Amino acid sequence: MKKQLISLINKSRLVSTVQDLVRIPSVNPPGNEKPVAEYLYQLLNKWGFEIDIINDPSPHRPQILAKLPGNGERPPLILNGHMDVVPEGDHSQWTDHPFSGSLHNGRIYGRGSCDMKGGIGVALEVARVIQLSELELNGDLVLAFAIGEETGEPGTRSILEHSGYRDGFGIVLEPTDFKVGVAEKGLAWFRVMIKGKPVHCSIAEKGINPIDKFLVFGKEVKEHDKNIRKRIHPKCGPAKCTMTMINAGTKENVVPESLSVILDRRINPDETAKAVQAEIEKILTKLSASDPDFSFSVELVRLYESAEIPSSLPEIESLCEEVEAVTGKKAKIWGTPFSTDVRNFINDVNIPAVTFGPGEVDQAHTFDESIRIEDLFNAVQVVLGVAANLIL
Ligand SMILES: [Zn+2]
């Protein structure tokens, strides 16, 4: 059966679809995914797929939920991709136009080629091949194309909630270069405000200078970072806490009325955002207990949860076998150091899912971003093999 499926792959359809997608500049921010959604709708509609347009969380940024229905004997296989790309930056830094979709040396070039219109193209080719095979599906093959991944919006979460699926298996086709991402690090940004009391600097001692308070707090954060780096997750590596932005002061000769500092906290799958915040609050509470002038607040401004599934799942074993069969290399089980929508599958709807796809992650978000055509072709074969095992 797999041989029959592979014989139906149309490489030029795969390449031209990815080129088409790259040529639609779906930059986010501000969130211009709509023309991509329209392209996908037209293509899938022409092919005769069942399609739902999901106008949530944003009525102006439609999302696509499409399927080839199965007979219901097996749970669905859900292929996921985000339609948005990060801004292209300075055009003069690109060799070709950032949205050229040009071909050189066996690669497709342009913003989003690797992250992750290549992955969307793979999902489309897999779906088209399965459809053309006219094989009976035991489980639904589902395509879920989301908005707002690059800005942490609940696009994929919303599609999954609307889909009604609560079992099955998901593949988030982000560029992992064929590594099998069963865990992912989370990320939380905390804004810590330290309050001051502004006075003229000629009588600075009569005020409260939040920069002085920060000098103590900052040392504690460095110590905290050192300690939590000893918490090493077997797949995701060490937890981390990094100070990234700082803001204080209204004028050169005024003791500042407040100071804010952002902490970027990388959260491992065995940590929770709540516990991580409590640790930061504990440091601050200790400082304010020993200094009556130390007054603070902590706000969680952004959260991408961590997520993990057991690597012993049969779906993961199947995926690893297909990777080895297609690439000739042993599949690497991995924890992604970056966040993807896989957390929406695992944490929000309790469907096991993996981050897996073609393309090297160091291509993502760079000038002259590109993806190897051979990788796209191999990824289609791998995902077809998984589909054959799970839903055919
Ligand atoms: Zn991505």
Side-chain angles (χ1 to χ4, degrees):
M1 188 212 296
K2 284 180 197 166
K3 264 193 185 151
Q4 182 203 345
L5 291 171
I6 286 163
S7 71
L8 290 169
I9 299 173
N10 182 328
K11 219 170 176 177
S12 68
R13 177 176 58 212
L14 170 65
V15 170
S16 65
T17 305
V18 175
Q19 284 180 294
D20 285 351
L21 288 166
V22 171
R23 286 170 183 153
I24 307 170
S26 50
V27 173
N28 181 33
N32 291 334
E33 298 95 342
K34 193 176 177 183
V36 172
E38 286 167 348
Y39 173 91
L40 293 170
Y41 178 86
Q42 279 164 20
L43 185 69
L44 291 162
N45 191 43
K46 190 175 81 186
W47 289 350
F49 281 60
E50 284 180 26
I51 311 169
D52 274 330
I53 307 279
I54 314 282
N55 286 306
D56 177 51
S58 170
H60 309 296
R61 295 162 70 191
Q63 312 196 92
I64 301 286
L65 173 66
K67 71 173 170 188
L68 280 178
N71 60 21
E73 280 177 19
R74 306 280 298 269
L77 172 63
I78 306 171
L79 305 181
N80 168 255
H82 63 83
M83 300 181 286
D84 55 329
V85 300
V86 294
E88 70 279 20
D90 181 359
H91 284 212
S92 72
Q93 299 290 318
W94 289 76
T95 306
D96 296 334
H97 188 276
F99 299 99
S100 69
S102 56
L103 302 177
H104 309 286
N105 313 318
R107 304 181 75 97
I108 303 174
Y109 284 81
R111 170 61 79 236
S113 52
C114 175
D115 182 14
M116 58 169 287
K117 286 170 169 172
I120 293 179
V122 167
L124 291 167
E125 185 61 22
V126 165
R128 183 61 170 154
V129 163
I130 291 176
Q131 184 190 35
L132 292 173
S133 76
E134 295 180 351
L135 290 164
E136 188 188 0
L137 273 73
N138 294 316
D140 293 354
L141 178 70
V142 183
L143 304 176
F145 298 133
I147 62 145
E149 192 276 342
E150 296 290 1
T151 42
E153 291 163 273
T156 294
R157 189 177 87 196
S158 164
I159 301 179
L160 292 172
E161 284 170 353
H162 277 84
S163 76
Y165 293 118
R166 295 297 176 266
D167 60 358
F169 183 63
I171 304 179
V172 178
L173 287 153
E174 293 273 9
T176 69
D177 201 14
F178 296 93
K179 291 194 283 294
V180 176
V182 294
E184 78 171 2
K185 225 173 210 180
L187 149 66
W189 292 335
F190 295 103
R191 181 183 292 114
V192 175
M193 291 282 296
I194 302 174
K195 288 178 198 113
K197 186 175 151 201
V199 292
H200 194 284
C201 282
S202 60
I203 49 162
E205 66 284 356
K206 293 204 163 31
I208 297 172
N209 193 335
I211 295 177
D212 293 342
K213 308 297 174 199
F214 168 75
L215 291 175
V216 182
F217 174 63
K219 257 191 180 163
E220 295 276 343
V221 172
K222 290 288 289 175
E223 195 57 33
H224 178 59
D225 178 53
K226 212 168 104 187
N227 289 332
I228 63 174
R229 279 174 189 253
K230 290 174 195 149
R231 295 178 199 164
I232 297 171
H233 184 272
K235 297 186 187 82
C236 295
K240 290 176 188 177
C241 184
T242 308
M243 294 177 275
T244 55
M245 292 170 82
I246 186 163
N247 202 340
T250 47
K251 198 174 181 306
E252 292 84 344
N253 57 355
V254 181
V255 169
E257 55 187 74
S258 66
L259 175 147
S260 79
V261 55
I262 299 285
L263 308 184
D264 173 298
R265 177 65 162 83
R266 301 290 151 156
I267 305 172
N268 272 338
D270 44 11
E271 300 180 304
T272 66
K274 224 173 139 188
V276 156
Q277 179 161 349
E279 287 178 337
I280 292 164
E281 281 167 353
K282 195 174 160 200
I283 296 170
L284 289 155
T285 307
K286 187 186 84 181
L287 293 176
S288 83
S290 62
D291 176 358
D293 289 340
F294 192 103
S295 165
F296 69 90
S297 63
V298 182
E299 184 194 355
L300 175 65
V301 287
R302 178 66 66 87
L303 173 65
Y304 297 81
E305 291 162 19
S306 54
E308 185 173 23
I309 57 169
S311 48
S312 57
L313 288 181
E315 293 91 341
I316 296 300
E317 281 172 16
S318 162
L319 177 56
C320 290
E321 276 167 26
E322 296 304 325
V323 169
E324 291 180 38
V326 172
T327 65
K329 286 184 223 144
K330 199 167 158 48
K332 188 172 182 229
I333 298 278
W334 194 43
T336 59
F338 48 85
S339 285
T340 76
D341 282 352
V342 85
R343 68 186 180 281
N344 297 128
F345 284 80
I346 300 169
N347 299 343
D348 296 325
V349 291
N350 206 16
I351 296 177
V354 68
T355 306
F356 169 84
E360 306 104 330
V361 73
D362 59 3
Q363 283 294 328
H365 304 192
T366 55
F367 298 122
D368 287 344
E369 178 180 344
S370 69
I371 191 162
R372 278 179 65 200
I373 291 167
E374 204 54 34
D375 287 353
L376 294 170
F377 182 59
N378 285 344
V380 172
Q381 294 184 64
V382 169
V383 179
L384 278 173
V386 172
N389 292 337
L390 299 185
I391 58 167
L392 285 171

